[in-house]
Amino acid sequence: MAATRRISYLISRSLACSSASSPLLSIGKTSGLHRSTSRYTTAALFEEEPVTPPVEIKYTKLLINGDFVDAVSGKRFATLDPRTGEVIAEVAEGEAEDINRAVSAARKAFDEGPWPKMTAYERSKIMLRFAELVEKHTDELAALETWDNGKPFEQAAKAELPMFVRVFRYYAGWADKIHGLTVPSDGNYHTQVLHEPIGVAGQIIPWNFPLVMFAWKVGPALACGNTIVLKTAEHTPLTALYVGKLLHDAGLPPGVLNIVSGFGPTAGATLASHMDVDKLAFTGSTVTGKVVLELAAKSNLKPVTLELGGKSPFIVCEDAHIDKAVELAHYATFFNQGQCCCAGSRTFVHEKVYDEFVEKAKARAIRRTVGDPFKKVEQGPQIDSKHFEKVMWYIESGIKSKAKLECGGNRVGLRGYFIQPTVFSDVKDNMLIAQEEIFGPVQSILKFRDLDDVIRRANSTKYGLAAGIFTQDIDTANTLSRALRAGTVWVNCFDVFDAAIPFGGYKMSGIGREKGIYSLHNYLQVKAVVAPLKNPAWL
């Protein structure tokens, strides 16, 4: 029973790439949440009424077999506005029986339905029609994403929705280009290698990029001819249900995509351990990823793709243009309220330019505007109260470990989950703020001597999701990019997420890759078909 409760809790906390750590058991007990000394003066402090989101809540039920239905239990749960902590809507709470219904629908759609038997060209046309519909509903979807998640509206509308559309068009283009091989073999045999859809794919997406993660997972799975059961994050169920409806409006047959909102102990664990799910894809914390992998292995040994946590280094070399490096390092850390699995939150700066960099990084953080994400601000709230307290705990940990708090460190406003952009200098490798994934607006700046020093220290982590390099020297860039053990290395840029660029991690940052041609491999089976040839003219 204890093990079951542990698994249930971990699955329920399938927070996007946010690491769990034993010191967090004391969350809420630190005085750091209420320090009176403010080191932050120019960001948008506000107490006015929040902006009314310009969107209607249309879909709050489970999407199973092409229809919106209530949970079998009739239960519903609240999804909250991170700006205020108030209820946005009550959403159907899917549990084990609902997952079973969704898997049955997906299995029937795969075994008996038209989707896998449809020509790849017809599948691609449905995906392209869907992309057009999403473009037409960009404003509503961006508003819904901002309301449910707290990210700035302009980020959702001008960056994430275009990326969503681009990913679906990319995989629509792949649908009729997936093919096998004819290979020579010793003897009189005709040998084909077929690439077949894997079957029913279970997918669990996180709360930090709900729409983007939907596209990264659903796009390649559909292109390959699979059917899907997707579990949304309990924090952010609304946009997945909306785009699910648009996919059916575009002509997707019933049962091909099923969406269940709910919690880990019921919906998440049931999906991960279901005997009739052929493949599982999960984005979330490393701790939860281990549990998902265990559940998949103990059931039917289904293959699992994992995109997990990170503690990415951002390396500023001595030849760097400091003002540009400061701005890029700021973006690498604070983008999406710091709630990004590949955030470059370990900022390594060469000792010759360290002091100048710290002063300018502090000034940039102080200028960062925080407020209602429906206004023209750079930063909105953290996702919920528990995560807010976790980030504040890490800030207090940094202070107690004698890192120098350059700015920030407090909340913004009296309601909602807003945190000041926070910068620490004099950070040492053994401090928790340099080791663990904070998943919040906290930049830790460390000093390094030379390339050997920074390579060793940058790689001295259990993670390996991403890294950033800022230098004007091509030899330095080449040396670092090959030495860093990370799935993505950005040179003089950061967070470049083209649909064709594979994304995934080394070490405990995950298994497999998403996006690009590599994601197709996750959703295909390889079959060899060998038949004898009688009197062949050639071999």
Side-chain angles (χ1 to χ4, degrees), residues 219-239:
L222 290 182
C224 293
N226 298 283
T227 60
I228 300 165
V229 177
L230 181 139
K231 180 201 169 294
T232 63
E234 59 266 32
H235 303 78
T236 52
L238 298 177
T239 49

Side-chain angles (χ1 to χ4, degrees), residues 35 37-41 366 399 405-410 420:
R35 289 191 305 277
T37 302
S38 176
R39 302 167 179 85
Y40 181 81
T41 58
I366 290 173
I399 294 170
L405 180 62
E406 296 285 350
C407 64
N410 286 296
Q420 296 172 343

Side-chain angles (χ1 to χ4, degrees), residues 85-149:
E86 297 172 355
V87 175
I88 299 173
E90 297 282 338
V91 180
E93 182 179 335
E95 296 183 318
E97 192 169 349
D98 301 292
I99 291 290
N100 291 336
R101 284 197 297 166
V103 172
S104 294
R107 174 55 60 194
K108 184 174 181 180
F110 185 78
D111 290 345
E112 303 174 21
W115 185 250
K117 302 176 181 66
M118 191 182 293
T119 68
Y121 179 56
E122 289 299 320
R123 288 202 302 270
S124 73
K125 289 199 296 184
I126 290 173
M127 294 175 70
L128 290 171
R129 284 199 295 269
F130 169 60
E132 291 177 3
L133 285 174
V134 171
E135 279 189 323
K136 292 177 181 178
H137 291 81
T138 289
D139 288 345
E140 300 102 301
L141 285 165
L144 204 56
E145 192 86 327
T146 293
W147 196 3
D148 211 15
N149 171 275

